[in-house]
Amino acid sequence: MNTRKLITLDEFTIQETRQFPQATGELSALLRDIGLACKMINKQVLKAGLVDILGKHGATNVQGEEQMKLDVYANETLIAVLKNSNDCAGIASEENDDHVCFDDEYSANSKYIVLFDPLDGSSNIDVNAPIGTIFSIYRRVSPIGTPCTKEDFLQPGNKLMAAGYVIYGSSTMMVYATKLSVNGFTLEPSIGEFCLSHPNLRCPEKGKIYSINQGNSCKYDAGLKTYLEYCMENNKADGRPYSHRYIGSMVADMHRTLIKGGIFMYPADSSSPKGKLRLQYECNPMAFLMEAAGGIASHGAGNILDIVPTELHQRSPIFIGSKSMVEKALEITNATATVA
Ligand code: AHM
Ligand code: MG
């Protein structure tokens, strides 16, 4: 690789900022901070298989350090890095009951707040399948100079300034979106930097893959069952059924959907009327990113990004991915949507 051609995440965000004379560089700094925390998480993810050798959660490893569960480590690392930075007034995490306000002078003067799912798909750690961190950045609505408030964290997705994820897979990548574009950065381990590898990502208009936990089919409504039959048998788009792929790690399933096209669904069902995935930590950031890449995201009856959250940990059904596939899914599911 010709290293002179590498553009790091930091260089890229600074170049982007130059296009906006009023920009202060705080958003760039925040993305760098999130990138730093994720590099630290990545280091631990790479060692996950050694935990049995070095000691499990609650035990002490050979260096005398206490072992922490990876999701706890990821959460604490993100909080510590963002608290240390000058650019974040507070956070909300899937792992914490309530938001955390960084109540010091510098944090109170920052204009952004961050929400995150520190380690999404954590049940996949034991089997070496990809996992990820998902993040959202909002401009706060409370006055700058005061501590942030709950209202800052209950903004609809259409108010997002930036959102993205880091995937800990066969390589480690950060993909983030602003309203302008979606860009992917691969971690170059020898220099420890995320480097631009996937500029201006666009989700293909059509795809050939559907992704859903089909083991829950008995709990799906009639409309969704009809759509799944369409995916398996009646889809004549390519003269063959769609392929089914489901990793069970949203970041990994979304990353494939973004790059190859397709549809990812986590619907409501008879035992979970609002689905499983969290609006603020999973659905909104992915919906924002997908829209910026030319795809769409729906909760089944409207745009995910228009939901005004009423609580931090609320859930939402999601249908997301290639525009024509999501539109077709909504057309079929809305035609007959009674719970079976
Ligand atoms: P988590 O945040 O506790 O890891 O749960 C979210 C994960 C998503 O990554 C994934 O899409 C989904 O749960 C899989 O759920 P299921 O096993 O019900 O199919
Ligand atoms: Mg999650």
Side-chain angles (χ1 to χ4, degrees):
M1 193 188 293
N2 181 351
T3 52
R4 284 171 299 169
K5 287 194 177 158
L6 287 180
I7 298 177
T8 67
L9 173 66
D10 226 14
E11 289 170 328
F12 181 84
T13 56
I14 288 166
Q15 279 172 19
E16 294 262 288
T17 305
R18 285 192 190 132
Q19 295 175 33
F20 302 97
Q22 73 282 16
T24 57
E26 285 169 78
L27 192 60
S28 306
L30 207 40
L31 287 162
R32 183 191 57 220
D33 296 335
I34 293 169
L36 170 65
C38 290
K39 283 189 270 186
M40 295 162 80
I41 296 166
N42 181 59
K43 192 175 161 211
Q44 296 303 317
V45 169
L46 292 175
K47 290 199 297 199
L50 292 172
V51 167
D52 277 344
I53 302 166
L54 298 176
K56 285 185 188 293
H57 177 49
T60 302
N61 69 14
V62 287
Q63 284 90 34
E65 299 159 343
E66 195 184 325
Q67 291 293 305
M68 229 187 264
K69 274 180 71 180
L70 262 184
D71 41 8
V72 177
Y73 176 83
N75 193 42
E76 293 190 357
T77 301
L78 275 156
I79 294 174
V81 169
L82 290 170
K83 188 170 166 44
N84 265 348
S85 90
N86 281 345
D87 310 295
C88 180
I91 63 95
S93 162
E94 196 186 293
E95 295 283 333
N96 291 56
D97 289 342
D98 215 343
H99 70 278
V100 178
C101 189
F102 300 148
D103 198 5
D104 60 85
E105 186 194 338
Y106 295 107
S107 303
N109 279 315
S110 37
K111 59 179 181 230
Y112 295 113
I113 54 107
V114 180
L115 293 93
F116 50 81
D117 179 353
L119 210 62
D120 180 66
S122 48
S123 62
N124 272 323
I125 294 169
D126 291 348
V127 295
N128 254 1
I131 48 181
T133 297
I134 310 174
F135 61 89
S136 302
I137 302 173
Y138 289 88
R139 193 187 284 263
R140 58 192 291 194
V141 289
S142 57
I144 292 173
T146 64
C148 60
T149 64
K150 186 157 223 159
E151 284 59 49
D152 295 323
F153 299 91
L154 294 178
Q155 300 185 60
N158 56 31
K159 298 280 187 209
L160 274 161
M161 298 298 295
Y165 59 81
V166 172
I167 180 167
Y168 310 104
S170 46
S171 62
T172 299
M173 271 187 79
M174 176 190 277
V175 178
Y176 84 87
T178 61
K179 283 208 169 95
L180 296 179
S181 62
V182 183
N183 294 281
F185 302 80
T186 301
L187 183 62
E188 222 296 18
S190 64
I191 56 168
E193 293 279 1
F194 286 105
C195 296
L196 183 64
S197 53
H198 296 63
N200 199 21
L201 277 164
R202 306 294 297 165
C203 179
E205 152 89 23
K206 290 185 204 161
K208 297 178 181 172
I209 297 173
Y210 74 107
S211 187
I212 187 170
N213 186 342
Q214 207 153 346
N216 289 332
S217 287
C218 62
K219 298 188 273 178
Y220 294 156
D221 69 23
L224 185 53
K225 284 179 181 168
T226 308
Y227 176 65
L228 294 180
E229 276 165 26
Y230 169 86
C231 292
M232 290 184 288
E233 294 165 16
N234 300 331
N235 162 41
K236 299 284 190 292
D238 302 295
R240 51 167 281 188
Y242 292 140
S243 295
H244 179 249
R245 299 274 184 275
Y246 189 71
I247 297 168
S249 180
M250 188 193 198
V251 171
D253 283 315
M254 283 306 307
H255 190 61
R256 181 198 58 245
T257 304
L258 175 66
I259 295 201
K260 295 200 161 185
I263 181 169
F264 171 83
M265 296 162 276
Y266 208 109
D269 64 37
S270 55
S271 57
S272 309
K274 294 197 164 165
K276 173 185 180 185
L277 298 179
R278 266 68 39 138
L279 174 66
Q280 291 288 71
Y281 309 107
E282 291 158 332
C283 300
N284 267 338
M286 291 302 189
F288 176 84
L289 189 144
M290 188 51 84
E291 270 200 12
I296 52 176
S298 170
H299 52 79
N303 192 326
I304 297 238
L305 298 173
D306 291 337
I307 301 174
V308 180
T310 53
E311 48 180 305
L312 269 182
H313 295 281
Q314 78 190 61
R315 298 171 195 266
S316 171
I318 187 165
F319 298 77
I320 183 168
S322 293
K323 188 166 178 290
S324 69
M325 287 181 85
V326 175
E327 283 171 351
K328 188 71 184 171
L330 296 175
E331 180 194 315
I332 295 177
T333 53
N334 287 329
T336 40
T338 43
V339 173

